[in-house]
Amino acid sequence: MALCLAAAALGQSVNRLTVRVKDIAEIEGVRSNQLIGYGIVIGLNRTGDRVQQNLYARQTLQNLLERMGITVSTDALRPENMATVLVTATLPPFARQGTKIDVTVSSIGDARSLQGGTLVLTPLRGVDGQVYALAQGPVSVGGISAGEPGNSVEVNHPTVGRVPNGALVEREIATDLAAGGRLTLALRQDDFTTAARLARAVNAKFGTGTARAIDGRNVEIFLPNGWQQDRVGFIAELEALRLETDVVAKVVINERTGTIVMGGNVRLSSVAISQGGITVRVGTEYEVSQPGPLSRTGETAVVPRTSVEVKERKPESVVLPDGATVDEVVRGLRAVGVSARDIISILQAIKAAGALAADLEMQ
């Protein structure tokens, strides 16, 4: 079913919609970091990598056994209870040594399932090559794989799993809050109007000169004198501030699903829309033709009879006044009686005619 969503603009409303600073901006430098590692999942029920075909799987197992003092040739390894995996995790900001984080385990070989396996101690590294966490533990898989090749059942995705709280942070990433008595708020969506309003809201709360908008995304904040020793408390007060945001008028269209989403700031110039269509129906009926009575030369034959019917729907028109709102646009297009796919074509034509004062984004 086609879906058309529209957010009506409440231009004359007294109570404007406001949002918290923490919902639209983030502090520069307070960020997560991605970690990655290469490891082995063991204890599988003959659903692991076929090591006789994967050389790197045999080498990995050989290296693991050698570190434990066991010397063995790779040609002698034939286990099916292990799988080589890539381990990924996200190191959150302010994580200290001993903090537990979740990890995701993904098979990189030809293992059929990681169900019931255990991840062997795996170092997780950052982009700088340093080890920031160590991961180990039982793998939780949301899928099921049972049976043999050619006669098997598979539910969801059994070659990817998670180890909840499976990694311990070993190295911290230093984060200096409000270094030099200042910090920068970065809007998640750049907009000069919102940046200016944010600076004004901060100055109104903490005093003139506390904030200044650098550009359409970044707002520089100076710590007031009374908050120098309580930076966390200042940030908590800062994030709780509420302000009215502004967005660019935009119409988002997804042709694959027939979804149309229009923002409340979308406006149209005076425009008339006329939409109609022609329906052509072609049908074929088969009749049997038989020779006359006592005829010696005639034969029974099947004769097709084709009928063509053309129906032209009366075009319907709607006129939208200058400065029409989203609600008027939607009601006007519905009055024409068109489908969501036809509405997409109409909006594209309106934009081409220069009557749509909004960005048209196709997905």
Side-chain angles (χ1 to χ4, degrees):
M1 178 180 294
L3 178 63
C4 180
L5 301 177
L10 301 178
Q12 304 298 327
S13 178
V14 176
N15 298 322
R16 292 282 188 172
L17 176 65
T18 60
V19 297
R20 297 178 302 176
V21 171
K22 67 167 54 180
D23 297 326
I24 61 172
E26 53 193 15
I27 300 175
E28 185 181 75
V30 179
R31 46 159 291 180
S32 301
N33 292 272
Q34 303 299 320
L35 305 178
I36 189 171
Y38 172 80
I40 301 177
V41 173
I42 61 175
L44 305 177
N45 186 16
R46 301 185 65 183
T47 59
D49 293 341
R50 288 173 289 182
V51 294
Q52 62 271 23
Q53 298 181 15
N54 298 336
L55 178 60
Y56 63 89
R58 286 185 287 172
Q59 291 177 342
T60 303
L61 181 58
Q62 182 189 36
N63 295 338
L64 176 63
L65 294 177
E66 286 181 351
R67 288 199 297 269
M68 297 180 178
I70 302 174
T71 302
V72 62
S73 172
T74 57
D75 297 333
L77 298 175
R78 293 290 186 273
E80 296 181 354
N81 295 341
M82 60 160 282
T84 53
V85 294
L86 281 182
V87 184
T88 57
T90 300
L91 182 65
F94 312 119
R96 302 289 184 178
Q97 289 186 0
T99 302
K100 295 181 179 181
I101 58 177
D102 298 341
V103 299
T104 301
V105 180
S106 306
S107 172
I108 60 174
D110 54 2
R112 290 183 287 117
S113 175
L114 300 180
Q115 184 178 7
T118 301
L119 177 67
V120 177
L121 189 64
T122 303
L124 302 180
R125 305 176 185 272
V127 294
D128 57 357
Q130 300 292 328
V131 176
Y132 287 90
L134 296 175
Q136 181 171 276
V139 180
S140 175
V141 179
I144 299 175
S145 179
E148 297 294 335
N151 186 19
S152 62
V153 176
E154 185 173 303
V155 179
N156 293 336
H157 208 70
T159 54
V160 177
R162 290 180 61 83
V163 184
N165 294 328
L168 289 175
V169 176
E170 299 294 336
R171 183 189 297 267
E172 303 174 5
I173 297 180
T175 302
D176 192 359
L177 278 177
R182 68 179 64 183
L183 56 88
T184 301
L185 286 177
L187 296 176
R188 295 188 177 95
Q189 184 173 0
D190 60 289
D191 186 84
F192 285 99
T193 303
T194 302
R197 290 176 180 173
L198 174 57
R200 287 197 295 266
V202 175
N203 289 330
K205 173 70 174 179
F206 299 101
T208 304
T210 304
R212 68 183 184 94
I214 302 176
D215 48 38
R217 183 179 292 271
N218 301 293
V219 178
E220 190 176 34
I221 310 292
F222 300 91
L223 263 70
N225 294 329
W227 295 93
Q228 295 291 338
Q229 303 302 321
D230 189 9
R231 299 180 179 182
V232 175
F234 172 73
I235 294 175
E237 292 288 333
L238 181 64
E239 290 183 334
L241 284 179
R242 304 188 72 90
L243 70 150
E244 180 187 349
T245 60
D246 199 8
V247 294
V248 177
K250 180 181 292 187
V251 179
V252 181
I253 296 175
N254 191 320
E255 289 188 303
R256 296 187 300 274
T257 61
T259 302
I260 304 171
V261 180
M262 292 182 282
N265 293 328
V266 177
R267 293 292 186 274
L268 271 75
S269 302
S270 181
V271 64
I273 302 172
S274 179
Q275 197 273 345
I278 297 178
T279 302
V280 179
R281 180 178 300 173
V282 179
T284 302
E285 297 180 355
Y286 295 92
E287 297 181 355
V288 178
S289 176
Q290 294 182 343
L294 304 178
S295 175
R296 297 183 179 180
T297 58
E299 296 181 357
T300 302
V302 177
V303 179
R305 294 185 179 274
T306 303
S307 61
V308 179
E309 181 183 359
V310 179
K311 290 184 178 180
E312 183 176 3
R313 188 176 63 182
K314 180 181 179 181
E316 299 186 22
S317 301
V318 60
V319 177
L320 299 176
D322 193 21
T325 63
V326 172
D327 185 53
E328 293 170 338
V329 172
V330 173
R331 286 190 286 109
L333 294 177
R334 287 179 177 175
V336 178
V338 298
S339 64
R341 193 161 301 278
D342 291 331
I343 293 177
I344 293 175
S345 301
I346 291 174
L347 289 174
Q348 291 175 335
I350 294 175
K351 179 65 176 178
L356 180 62
D359 291 338
L360 194 62
E361 180 178 323
M362 307 296 295
Q363 294 184 343

